[in-house]
Amino acid sequence: MTPCMSLRCCRSSLAGPVRARQGGNATHSLAHTTSSGASTSGRSREQCQATSDRWVVQGGVVVAAAALLLIPSSSALAMEVEPSNALSLPTWAIHVSSVVEWVTAMGLFWKYAEVTGNQRWKGMTWGMLPSLGSAMCACTWHFFYNAPSLEFLVAVQAALTVVGNATCGIAAYRVYDGAVKEKQAS
């Protein structure tokens, strides 16, 4: 007999035991079709159950094969261990928030210069720029786990820190000097 190609066969086999208890015969009353379209009505529960089992096994094989294709390899699922010199999440939070605060302060100084008309405050923003570059060097080096190939960033950071401290000092003195001169003029 040709195997049933209808998934309805699997579901209709549940009605067989009910009919048997009610005095009905042990065959399905639903018409089934084969791959060629021929009718297979009157199949027994056992035949349909065997067909159902084949569908389940074949479907299980297809699902398993698809799962193997979709699931990455075990090496991709394994969590990579960070090196011992990696920064912790709180340390990263401090680094990032410090950079954000520095950029915010630069923006506020620039805006203050525009509102007051005192261009010396814009000089303060320019004086802070080398220190921002220093912070970017530090964050870049840490982002790549202090890679030896990027060790030159440590020297660049140190140089930008010295220059930034000097330019911030000069800019702050210019702001102070301008305020003193304004006070003396009034």
Side-chain angles (χ1 to χ4, degrees):
M1 182 172 285
T2 309
C4 175
M5 298 303 288
S6 170
L7 286 176
R8 288 178 54 205
C9 178
C10 301
R11 288 173 177 67
S12 66
S13 65
L14 297 174
V18 173
R19 263 188 248 110
R21 282 193 300 260
Q22 295 171 346
N25 63 17
T27 60
H28 292 290
S29 61
L30 294 174
H32 301 6
T33 56
T34 64
S35 58
S36 63
S39 174
T40 60
S41 61
R43 294 183 56 146
S44 70
R45 255 183 312 186
E46 291 78 19
Q47 290 171 328
C48 283
Q49 184 62 43
T51 301
S52 173
D53 291 345
R54 279 195 300 273
W55 276 102
V56 169
V57 169
Q58 290 172 351
V61 169
V62 170
V63 169
L68 287 175
L69 291 174
L70 295 175
I71 295 175
S73 67
S74 62
S75 63
L77 291 176
M79 292 186 67
E80 292 191 30
V81 178
E82 290 186 331
S84 61
N85 62 351
L87 298 184
S88 66
L89 187 59
T91 305
W92 270 114
I94 295 297
H95 276 64
V96 171
S97 65
S98 296
V99 170
V100 169
E101 288 173 34
W102 196 258
V103 170
T104 303
M106 291 172 67
L108 290 172
F109 284 144
W110 193 272
K111 186 62 107 177
Y112 187 75
E114 290 177 346
V115 169
T116 63
N118 184 352
Q119 298 303 308
R120 290 188 169 120
W121 285 102
K122 284 187 179 180
M124 188 67 183
T125 300
W126 287 110
M128 295 171 73
L129 196 58
S131 296
L132 179 62
S134 172
M136 294 284 90
C137 287
C139 288
T140 301
W141 192 52
H142 290 317
F143 182 79
F144 292 105
Y145 301 115
N146 307 339
S149 62
L150 297 175
E151 196 149 332
F152 71 92
L153 288 174
V154 176
V156 173
Q157 178 194 7
L160 287 173
T161 299
V162 170
V163 171
N165 289 344
T167 56
C168 278
I170 293 168
Y173 179 77
R174 288 185 62 228
V175 170
Y176 168 77
D177 190 48
V180 168
K181 287 180 182 176
E182 280 182 27
K183 195 175 210 182
Q184 288 174 352
S186 57

